[in-house]
Amino acid sequence: MNLLLRWLASALALLAVAYLVPGVIVDGFGAAAIAALVIGLVNATIGLVVKLITTPVRWLTLGLFTLVINAGLFWLATVAVDGFGVTGAVAALVGSLVYGLLASLIQSVLGAK
């Protein structure tokens, strides 16, 4: 049940990001649900490996390089999902940041954490 609430919160956050951030495009709730699932899978697999490899760079930049990694993973998810797109690097960076903040906020409101 907790996993379904987190997935729903992530999909709702992605719809809000598409509304708030110019350059992030989501065609509907179905595309948002699939994109939220893909974003979660990309972060859990590729994201772990990339973050492990880039640990020294993240230490040197005091963690700010993590924002770049998250933007790249956010963009990578757009490649795999039809109906979900990002028009540029700035949109990917801002979109991934707003997505993370909104997903955390919605999950805490729904009690999914």
Side-chain angles (χ1 to χ4, degrees):
M1 184 69 170
N2 192 17
L3 184 63
L4 289 175
L5 279 176
R6 292 180 73 185
W7 182 38
L8 175 67
S10 296
L12 291 173
L14 197 57
L15 284 173
V17 167
Y19 180 74
L20 294 172
V21 179
V24 177
I25 302 152
V26 178
D27 285 344
F29 184 77
I34 293 170
L37 181 66
V38 170
I39 289 170
L41 291 174
V42 166
N43 281 330
T45 56
I46 299 170
L48 284 176
V49 174
V50 170
K51 288 176 184 173
L52 182 67
I53 292 170
T54 60
T55 298
V57 176
R58 290 186 303 135
W59 283 351
L60 287 173
T61 62
L62 303 175
L64 290 177
F65 191 68
T66 306
L67 296 174
V68 175
I69 294 170
N70 287 339
L73 296 173
F74 192 75
W75 172 81
L76 186 62
T78 66
V79 173
V81 179
D82 289 334
F84 175 49
V86 175
T87 59
V90 174
L93 182 66
V94 174
S96 66
L97 184 62
V98 173
Y99 172 72
L101 293 172
L102 284 178
S104 295
L105 178 69
I106 295 171
Q107 287 173 9
S108 66
V109 167
L110 291 178
K113 279 200 170 185

